Structure formats: C-alpha cells, structure tokens
C-alpha cells in the first residue's frame, strides 16, 4: 500500500499532500524582502505578526514579519541571510493557524546558537500544551467532574482510554514512528507537505485517591524548512522535539504522555558544521507514554559536515543549479472538507477553542454528516476522518464512502461520513491512504 496523508486543519481541512521531492539550490521566492535576520541574544519571533498574502510576495513594506499564506499553510520569511550567534536561542510564538515556518534565504545561513520549534510540555488542565509551529496540541488532563481527559491532537495524537482500575491510560503521540508503540506514523520522508508532530493524551489520575492532580499531554514538535541558495553552516542546534509528559517524578501517579518529534527540512547548496539536528519524541515514564520520533530531511549538493542527527535523516543528493520543490506540485493529490453538519467549512479554519469560537457550530445531536472532496485521489483509496473531542471522549476514526464522482479529468470525488457529536469543542482532520 502507498500511504498519502493529508493534514491541514482542525475542524475543517484544506489540501496538503505527501509527495516525493527532488530539490536544489535555486530557491523560488527567495527575494530577500524580509531583510537580514541577525540574532545575538535570546529572541522570540512572533508569527502572529505575519502579513496575510501569497507566499512569494515582496514583503519589503513589512520586512521581518513574514507572510502567512493559508493556501500553503505556512509562515514564509524571505531573508537575505541568517545569523544566529552562539549565545542566542530563537523560539517562536504561534500564528493563530499554528502553521509551520519557512525560511527562504538568498545568501548564507549560519547557526551557532539554537533554533527551537519544540512542542510545549504537559500542561495544567484545562489548558492544552501548545505545539511548535506546524505541530499539534497535547490532550488536556481531567479538570473536574464531567470534564475528563482527552486524546492528543494531530493525525498521530496519543490515545486516551480508561484502565479497568479507574485511571486513564495515556499513549504518546506519533509522527515518524509509532507513538506509545501503537500510534501509526503518518506523513513521508520528503516533508512535502511540511508538517510537525502530534500531541500526547492527558490523564485523569495515576491511581484512585492519589494526592497528585491530573495533567495534560505534551505537544508535538513543530516544523521548519530552511531553503538556502548557498551555504548552511550549522555548529549550533536546530530542534523540533516533542513536549514531555508528566509522571510525578517517577512515582507513576497522574501519568500523562508526551508529544512526538516534529519535522526539519534543510535544502542548500553546501551543508557544513558539526552541530545537532533533533526531532525526538518527548520523554515520559514508560515506553507507552513516550512520543514517537519526528522526521529530518537533508537535501544538498555538497556535504562537508559531521552533524549529529536524531532520528536518522532522509538524504538527497542535489544537482547544481536545479530548482527546489517547496510545495506539492499542481497534479498532486488534494483533500478538503466541504461541509460539516450541512454548514460550509471555512477556507482557513483555526480550531481556536475557548473564546475564539468554533469554525463550525452544530446543534446538539447524536451525529452529523461530513462532506469531503478529493482531487487526483483514486476511488480505491481510503479516506479516513479523525474526530478528537477536547474533553471526556477518546478520539474516533471514521471511514468515508464515495458519494459521487464530479469529474474524471482531473479526478474529483466527493466522499461522505457520519460523525458522532459530543458537547463542546472537537477537532476534525482527514487522511487519505492510496492503493
């Protein structure tokens, strides 16, 4: 079976695909309009300041803020060059979309410090641990009677289920490997589309009547693409690790699970240095609660480095002067949610939860229909809908069936499924498994 996963949104899905790629040192869109990025002290880059526009637009009027392109689901910066000094740590505040980060650099990149897009650690209920940009949130822990723990978010979100002794069994999130030893991997080695890791599930209590409070799961590591026309020198660290779970210092009480590692993709002419690239899962008390690893992709013409990479990367030798494939090609498979409960899904859904409000609001009923459209996806494929309630109920995965064929060239098919409805917020994602 050839598996192609699409992930884009929670409560509404736009199209992103998994596709093999061959990329090179001509970087489309690297127009330098965000100026030079020079970081010498600890710096937080606020992605919410990005201007909404097409990804390759000239951003000179808002230099340094980047561009958010909802069709690409990415925050794109077009830098002249990038320098991160040895004593500097770069972290990020998410855009409301939680889209991943793309650096397109017309000159050179030198990282002696740390670029960190890791997921947040286990959070105190009712909060969900925040992922790195491009990743997915951790499940919440039990908050009160009637507001119980939830599964992690993302296509590899950790499972939450109840132990016969009355406490929650928490599974770590997966991405490049199975989370908690059971959560299936998703995505592909090319990191096209660019996406991050999934969250671990939250907990109720480690044991009945224990003195420790419940806790949420760790979030998934984020995702970053660094596309550089010339040389990337890495003597520092790029990390997209999963957020750790919580085990009350080894007592095995109030255990929650960890998020999976995220995605890191480097495309350049020359890669040098002896630094570290890390996309590992978050730590937890046991193998069941630990997060799976993420994915690392290296594409370069020349290689003169002794980098330490965990997990093992996918490596592609590039040809001089060829052009990087940054996004899925026009003929690639696509999937999107058209409607939920007969309400049209927004083009750029956010799954904000809380006071932000829902992307789609449903009446309280037992179930509701969802309508999905695929393009360039075979009729024999599986279209699977993951529904993750924020509280109380374990996530579910429902297979959609073919409703109608809209067009044969290109092949456009509409699929439908019936989703269970629970009170409160839920997140919806879709994946496609092609034959």
């Amino acid at each position: 079976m050839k598996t192609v996963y699409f992930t884009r949104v929670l409560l509404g899905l736009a199209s992103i695909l998994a596709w093999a790629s061959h990329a090179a040192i001509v970087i489309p869109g690297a127009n330098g309009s965000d100026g030079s990025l020079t970081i010498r002290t600890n710096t937080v880059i606020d992605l919410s300041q990005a201007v909404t526009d097409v990804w390759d637009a000239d951003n000179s009027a808002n230099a340094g803020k980047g561009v958010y392109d909802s069709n690409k689901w990415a925050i794109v910066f077009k830098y002249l060059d990038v320098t991160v000094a040895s004593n500097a740590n770069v972290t990020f505040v998410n855009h409301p979309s939680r889209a991943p980060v793309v650096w397109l650099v017309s000159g050179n990149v030198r990282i002696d410090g740390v670029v960190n897009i890791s997921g947040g650690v286990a959070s105190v209920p009712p909060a969900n641990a925040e992922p790195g940009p491009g990743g997915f949130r951790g499940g919440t822990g039990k908050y009160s009677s009637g507001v119980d723990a939830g599964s992690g978010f993302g296509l590899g979100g950790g499972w939450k289920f109840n132990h016969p002794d009355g406490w929650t069994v928490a599974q770590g999130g997966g991405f490049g490997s199975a989370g908690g030893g059971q959560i299936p991997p998703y995505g592909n080695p090319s990191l096209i589309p660019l996406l991050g890791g999934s969250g671990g599930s939250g907990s109720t209590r480690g044991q009945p009547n224990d003195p420790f409070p419940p806790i949420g799961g760790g979030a998934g590591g984020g995702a970053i693409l660094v596309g550089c026309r010339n040389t990337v020198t890495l003597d520092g660290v790029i990390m997209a690790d999963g957020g750790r779970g919580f085990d009350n210092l080894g007592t095995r009480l109030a255990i929650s699970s960890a998020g999976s590692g995220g995605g890191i993709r480097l495309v350049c002419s020359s890669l040098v240095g002896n630094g570290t690239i890390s996309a590992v899962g978050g730590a937890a008390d046991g193998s069941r609660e630990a997060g799976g690893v993420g994915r690392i992709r290296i594409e370069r013409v020349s290689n003169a480095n002794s980098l330490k990479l965990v997990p093992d990367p996918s490596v592609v030798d590039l040809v001089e002067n060829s052009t990087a494939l940054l996004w899925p090609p026009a003929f690639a498979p696509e999937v999107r949610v058209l409607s939920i409960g007969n309400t049209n899904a927004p083009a750029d859904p956010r799954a904000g939860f809380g006071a932000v409000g829902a992307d789609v609001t449903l009446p309280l009923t037992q179930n509701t229909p969802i309508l999905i459209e695929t393009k360039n996806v075979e009729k024999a494929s599986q279209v699977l809908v993951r529904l993750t309630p924020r509280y109380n109920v374990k996530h579910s995965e429902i297979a959609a069936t073919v409703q109608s064929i809209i067009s044969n060239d290109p092949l456009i098919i509409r699929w439908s499924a019936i989703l269970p409805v629970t009170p409160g917020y839920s997140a919806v994602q879709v994946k496609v498994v092609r034959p």
Side-chain angles (χ1 to χ4, degrees), residues 121 151 159 204 210 220 249 257 264 283 417:
V121 301
S151 295
W159 299 344
T204 51
D210 76 65
L249 303 178
S257 61
I264 300 171

Side-chain angles (χ1 to χ4, degrees), residues 93-418:
V93 172
N94 275 328
H95 186 270
S97 66
R98 296 182 174 84
V101 176
V102 175
W103 288 355
L104 304 179
V105 184
S106 57
N108 297 309
V109 173
R110 183 174 187 93
I111 298 173
D112 293 316
V114 178
V115 176
N116 189 347
I117 55 167
S118 297
V121 301
S123 60
V124 176
N128 297 91
E130 189 70 9
F136 301 95
R137 286 166 284 190
T140 188
K142 181 176 181 179
Y143 181 61
S144 66
S145 177
V147 186
D148 207 343
S151 295
F153 293 91
L155 290 175
W159 299 344
K160 169 255 178 182
F161 56 94
N162 295 323
H163 191 276
D165 292 339
W167 48 286
T168 299
V169 176
Q171 297 276 358
F175 180 25
S177 69
Q182 297 186 39
I183 313 300
Y186 60 96
N188 71 83
S190 74
L191 283 176
I192 301 178
L194 182 66
L195 71 164
S198 295
S201 65
S203 73
T204 51
R205 289 180 176 273
Q207 298 172 357
N209 303 315
D210 76 65
F212 296 99
I215 197 76
I224 187 169
L225 161 62
V226 178
C228 175
R229 281 180 174 163
N230 298 318
T231 299
V232 172
T233 302
L234 177 59
D235 287 320
V237 178
I238 303 175
M239 58 191 305
D241 295 344
R244 67 164 289 125
F246 187 76
D247 64 0
N248 281 321
L249 303 178
T251 64
R252 295 195 63 81
L253 302 179
I255 299 169
S256 71
S257 61
S260 73
I264 300 171
R265 182 182 175 207
L266 301 185
V267 183
C268 59
S269 175
S270 177
L271 180 59
V272 301
N274 60 2
T276 299
I277 301 177
S278 176
V280 300
D285 184 73
S287 60
R288 180 183 63 208
E289 294 86 19
V293 299
R295 297 183 184 275
I296 299 172
R297 174 78 162 192
I298 305 295
E299 303 170 29
R300 76 287 183 270
V301 176
S302 64
N303 191 54
N305 67 76
S306 55
L307 296 176
K308 299 170 281 294
L309 303 97
V310 184
D312 289 335
S314 166
V315 179
V316 173
D317 294 323
L318 300 180
V319 177
E320 195 77 36
N321 295 321
S322 57
T323 301
L325 179 62
L326 303 179
W327 317 109
F331 56 83
E334 299 179 11
V335 64
R336 63 188 180 118
V337 172
L338 295 180
S339 65
I340 301 175
N342 300 316
T343 299
N344 291 338
D348 185 20
R350 302 297 175 87
F353 298 164
V356 174
D359 296 307
V360 174
T361 301
L362 303 173
L364 186 57
T365 182
Q366 287 189 331
N367 52 61
T368 193
I370 182 172
L371 182 63
I372 300 158
E373 185 174 272
T374 60
K375 182 179 179 180
N376 300 322
V377 171
E378 302 88 340
K379 186 178 178 181
S381 301
Q382 291 178 278
V383 175
L384 303 172
V385 184
R386 175 177 167 126
L387 178 72
T388 308
R390 189 181 184 195
Y391 300 119
N392 296 322
V393 182
K394 177 196 169 192
H395 76 277
S396 54
E397 188 173 87
I398 301 98
T401 57
V402 173
Q403 184 187 77
S404 60
I405 297 177
I406 304 301
S407 167
N408 286 304
D409 188 17
L411 180 58
I412 298 175
I413 302 176
R414 290 188 176 173
W415 311 67
S416 62
I418 300 297

